[in-house]
Amino acid sequence: MEFSNYFPIWDKLDAQQQEVLRSSALERTAKKGTLIHRGSMDCLGLVIVVSGRLRAYSLSPDGKEVTLYRLLERDTCLLSAACMMSGMQFELMIEAERDTAFYIVPPDVFKNLMNSSAVIANYANELMATRFSEVMWLMEQIMWKSLDKRIAGFLLEESLLEGTKILKITHEQIANHLGSAREVVTRMLKYFQSEGLVRITRGTVEITDEKRLGDLLDDE
């Protein structure tokens, strides 16, 4: 894999900046389930996904998880290098949801480039703004949207990502994505099943009525 094919603003950089990035970028792989970033304990650097999928999530003091966003092919994450930004503390965990190949640009390298290049600084600001917008949208969903709609939305999104209506996912995993309790998710899924929207078996949730799940989202 060639780094230049995955860095979004490569063509806007001069030859020296391109060489710094190319020579410093580290190729890494992670097996499904591997935790690659542990909040303030780590300062991983700029992450660019080549293949696979990463999950960025927050972890509460009592161990409850909530998914903030996913990183798919060619997606970039700068919050994994938040330590290089003055005054910023962001407890972000990142794990591989699938076997994943990715690049890491070390934080000191990217910080130096940000300080010397307006193009890279603007790109970093846009990237941070986009991620924070996603997190704010999520907070609005948690605060104002009922759990049945959030579960319906999650199942439809997961089906789109996986390309199947039979989702190999546990109630615990759904709860972790949504920042809820497993017991609450189980009750809601059983209600969905009683209404003919899904079929629940051990370790799987099958969407049986995609249209009505979608209608549930539109029913405000």
Side-chain angles (χ1 to χ4, degrees), residues 2-13:
E2 171 54 47
F3 178 78
S4 62
N5 294 331
Y6 293 91
F7 196 76
I9 57 170
W10 185 260
D11 293 339
K12 296 180 180 179
L13 306 180

Side-chain angles (χ1 to χ4, degrees), residues 16 37 41 51 69 78 81 96-97 126 134 146 177 179 205 220:
Q16 182 179 3
H37 182 71
M41 295 174 61
S51 63
Y69 52 85
L78 186 55
E97 278 199 314
E126 290 174 3
E134 292 175 351
S146 60
H177 278 291
V205 177
E220 297 294 344

